[in-house]
Amino acid sequence: MRTAAPVPTTAAPDLVLRCADLLEAVRARAPLVQCVTNTVVQNVTANVLLAVGASPAMVDVRTEAGPFARVADALLVNTGTPHEETRDAAVEAATAAVDAGTPWVLDPVAVGALPVRTALAHELLALRPTVLRGNASEVLALLDGAAGGRGTDATATTDDARAAARASAGRRVGAVAVSGPVDLVVAPDGTVVRVANGTDLLTRITGGGCALGAVVAAFASVTADPGDAAVAATVAYTVAAELAARDAGGPGTFQPLFLDRLASLTPEDLVERSRVSTEDGTGTADSTPAVPARSER
Amino acid sequence: MRTAAPVPTTAAPDLVLRCADLLEAVRARAPLVQCVTNTVVQNVTANVLLAVGASPAMVDVRTEAGPFARVADALLVNTGTPHEETRDAAVEAATAAVDAGTPWVLDPVAVGALPVRTALAHELLALRPTVLRGNASEVLALLDGAAGGRGTDATATTDDARAAARASAGRRVGAVAVSGPVDLVVAPDGTVVRVANGTDLLTRITGGGCALGAVVAAFASVTADPGDAAVAATVAYTVAAELAARDAGGPGTFQPLFLDRLASLTPEDLVERSRVSTEDGTGTADSTPAVPARSER
Amino acid sequence: MRTAAPVPTTAAPDLVLRCADLLEAVRARAPLVQCVTNTVVQNVTANVLLAVGASPAMVDVRTEAGPFARVADALLVNTGTPHEETRDAAVEAATAAVDAGTPWVLDPVAVGALPVRTALAHELLALRPTVLRGNASEVLALLDGAAGGRGTDATATTDDARAAARASAGRRVGAVAVSGPVDLVVAPDGTVVRVANGTDLLTRITGGGCALGAVVAAFASVTADPGDAAVAATVAYTVAAELAARDAGGPGTFQPLFLDRLASLTPEDLVERSRVSTEDGTGTADSTPAVPARSER
């Protein structure tokens, strides 16, 4: 099903334990996660947040989005269906989040060739999101000015986006999370983490990536480390998806089962099932940190 | 699971029979229910209306919303995601509904601290909705100017909202329906009805309350009594939810099962399963009506 | 369940084989289908496209919609919830599609009495869509200026729309697809095809017709014959629905099962299960073609 990552890696048991702790923290605190996201996936995003233990709030209108981002525990901004009022709300919310110290996630859906969202995504990137999450084509298009895919087509691989992500993590953004068959997270200090959990079914439903962005935001509200937040959210999300896939008859029945599994997911599930590794050699957390991890937010 | 209401109440068998009759009437007439509602829950709202036997119409654009409200059998206005054109459509539709005698429900989602929707909800309240439906925080925020919750968080209890609801029912609005672990309905004559059916799963999916608002509108089209409409809709909705919860593995599988149960719900199910009570003492329907119930519409 | 069509018809085994080939072609090419559609059904439309093997892209904002329609493999324009920016995007996308030769489908939801969408639908019709898809009331309202139903209520039958469809197919539009208990497709050459597959459950969920419009667009990208595209899409969609209905407990569980069945549908399923017929006598493909079928796109 999944191909092994080409870079030598080692298992990361401590990181997995932190993931389990962060899941417990999300459940305990029920963070209020504001979403300025596309209309295609608003419903599934809200349901995924509820299932994971967070409290969704789709506050995406002008003059409400900014003040709300000051009181929310986290913010997701997703550039799909960027209608005029939604764009204004996105910038307003991200600006307020930065000012108030609210952690926020940028998901630059289908950025690259499409002019409106590409300009919006660059404007948002300049505000330095806590986490940038996308597929490899989107991350490359935003960080390197690559042409991007058509729509949400991901033609690049996560490893194609590795260098761009490492050059930007801890500088232009906090962490970078690149979704793919093996998910790749680059922490602000340059550590590269790979998460090999998941199921192809997540790519056969709409919102499989978008809703993960919201979950990353939820986790970013319970830790000051954006890399840990991105890894823990990815692990929780993909482990639940894996469990759901075992009982699914296809992409339709997968969706309700996935919500059930997210809702019943335990920290122990993460410890037992996560397949998380960090790169060996240069770029590991302890040897060559680009910036101190704890300054991130 | 559910705590008993603190006020002495008595069972209301006649009211339950009326609920069963109203369910039959909705099925027989298939009322056309216009919804000006938030984009997060449009899909589930339409599916819930179809399942209960009504015909949904999400007509929410300028210059269409008003004329349509004159021919629709009922109207729902929900203040979530109140984009500029949606706000115009909401006011246009409610104004036309009042003029044409179309019963309509106001659901003031997340009203209170958020400025755009709060102003909109007050403008709509001034048009005197047939039924006001919300959680306790929203009802208090709108009727009493309380601060409201964060998003759809309900921190107040239904009994907290009882006094405000009684002061407004039959005056500023027709009936008031307050959703919570035990739902509370105040009829225009001041009668307080409690419905103890339901499941926590309704709070763990998005749209659990919003879709109920649309069902109240459907029921308001088949009776001139807004209190009965609100009670019958609440009973039908929560009994179906209860039945679905028995077979659900979590909030994901609950949703399709809930639609199935709504679609197959019988008047007999309501008679057998509803847990409806009215308050004893002052404020009952026969002793101290605030206004004549039949003047409502 | 289904009543026989009143016009004498013959089975169409060759057409069924072409349907099976087109399903394989959609699976092989994974066409990128742009959707400018209503917010109620965006999610289910995207999931249906993914299930059938296409790649959805909900690009519906000004200045993105036009350029995208030039690179997309097909376009769907649906007139439900026609907010101002969406209307602009619809016209922009359809105009670009015509110019670039991108096949496109017009779904004139609830056209007739509602002024905004009726004007929009006529503007789009003047651009000559590759396929016009709607229920009988919508098709009659758009092509003949009939009053239309209330909302998506279909009060007319597919055979009521037959004459209007025949007068317009190959002239004002490519093909016409009229949804109903027995679906009716009129090819550009005037051939009338009936598809007797399906289930009542498709009318008891929201988006049952809207998502079919998107599937027609997907199939129109893999054949130059709009009639074949409409028939093949209808057959694939309704056969999958039929199979899902056998296991469904109601309209709720039907939906995930339908997506599963769409995803696992094989060309052999179509050959075995499709109930497709063409009219005898005048108007058949070989005797009185109104225009050459292959000039259509």
Side-chain angles (χ1 to χ4, degrees), chain B residues 52-152:
Chain B
V52 88
S55 180
M58 272 49 192
V59 179
D60 66 353
V61 297
R62 288 187 198 105
T63 78
E64 287 191 352
F68 198 79
R70 295 180 177 277
V71 300
D73 295 311
L75 167 70
L76 166 73
V77 180
N78 172 303
T79 63
T81 65
H83 285 245
E84 189 180 340
E85 181 159 3
T86 310
R87 298 197 298 273
D88 290 352
V91 172
E92 189 186 307
T95 303
V98 169
D99 189 59
T102 305
W104 67 289
V105 174
L106 172 60
D107 191 337
V109 171
V111 78
L114 293 166
V116 173
R117 70 192 69 197
T118 302
L120 173 64
H122 279 288
E123 184 177 355
L124 292 165
L125 178 65
L127 295 171
R128 198 175 183 284
T130 311
V131 181
L132 170 67
R133 190 218 76 83
N135 63 39
S137 296
E138 292 160 347
V139 167
L140 280 167
L142 186 61
L143 296 181
D144 271 6
R150 297 193 312 170
T152 54

Side-chain angles (χ1 to χ4, degrees), chain A residues 82-272:
Chain A
H83 285 245
E84 190 181 340
E85 180 159 3
T86 310
R87 297 197 297 274
D88 290 352
V91 173
E92 188 185 307
T95 304
V98 169
D99 189 59
T102 306
W104 67 290
V105 175
L106 172 60
D107 191 337
V109 172
V111 78
L114 293 167
V116 173
R117 71 192 67 196
T118 302
L120 173 64
H122 279 287
E123 184 176 357
L124 293 164
L125 178 64
L127 295 171
R128 200 178 182 283
T130 312
V131 182
L132 170 67
R133 190 218 76 84
N135 63 40
S137 296
E138 293 160 348
V139 168
L140 280 168
L142 186 61
L143 296 182
D144 271 6
R150 297 193 312 171
T152 53
D153 269 355
T155 49
T157 70
T158 53
D159 278 305
D160 292 338
R162 183 187 169 283
R166 283 207 80 218
S168 293
R171 296 183 177 89
R172 299 165 72 195
V173 302
V176 181
V178 189
S179 298
V182 173
D183 296 297
L184 184 146
V185 172
V186 181
D189 64 4
T191 308
V192 177
V193 179
R194 286 183 173 77
V195 181
N197 296 93
T199 163
D200 279 353
L201 285 170
L202 280 175
T203 66
R204 294 171 60 200
I205 61 169
T206 193
C210 296
L212 171 57
V215 176
V216 173
F219 277 78
S221 74
V222 296
T223 173
D225 185 325
D228 276 9
V231 172
T234 302
V235 167
Y237 195 80
T238 55
V239 166
E242 236 172 57
L243 291 167
R246 299 192 304 194
D247 300 319
T253 47
F254 170 68
Q255 296 181 66
L257 292 170
F258 177 43
L259 291 175
D260 283 3
R261 288 291 191 170
L262 269 178
S264 63
L265 194 70
T266 64
E268 291 70 34
D269 290 329
L270 300 195
V271 173
E272 284 171 28

